[in-house]
Amino acid sequence: MMTEALAQQSIFSIVINLVFLLITWWALQTFRFDLFVKKPNSPQAKVLMILLTLSIGSLASNFFLDYYNWSIRLQYFF
């Protein structure tokens, strides 16, 4: 029973992380990197885009997952 709950929570976390990474990648596609990067089509610019996606997506998904977990734990408060 406990292992099933842990597995479900792990799958939920993986899916949420992937969803937020996709949303962040999609949102960053509209950002004008050519204003800040010398060569926007260079490999370094692509790596920067990937690192920004991972950073922002991770922050957003961690916020969402923390908020979700805190709201679930509130039931034990009352």
Side-chain angles (χ1 to χ4, degrees):
M1 182 83 159
M2 183 69 155
T3 56
E4 281 184 25
L6 187 59
Q8 288 175 353
Q9 185 178 11
S10 298
I11 291 171
F12 180 71
S13 296
I14 290 170
V15 169
I16 292 298
N17 274 297
L18 290 175
V19 166
F20 275 93
L21 284 175
L22 290 173
I23 291 171
T24 305
W25 180 264
W26 173 73
L28 284 177
Q29 295 301 308
T30 62
F31 190 74
R32 299 259 331 253
F33 279 104
D34 58 333
L35 299 175
F36 300 101
V37 181
K38 290 181 184 177
K39 299 175 191 173
N41 292 327
S42 68
Q44 292 91 349
K46 304 286 184 198
V47 169
L48 178 63
M49 178 75 154
I50 291 169
L51 291 175
L52 280 172
T53 299
L54 289 171
S55 300
I56 297 170
S58 177
L59 282 171
S61 67
N62 284 337
F63 171 78
F64 178 82
L65 289 170
D66 284 344
Y67 190 85
Y68 174 75
N69 287 327
W70 295 332
S71 65
I72 294 296
R73 291 181 189 151
L74 276 178
Q75 69 184 354
Y76 302 113
F77 183 65
F78 299 108

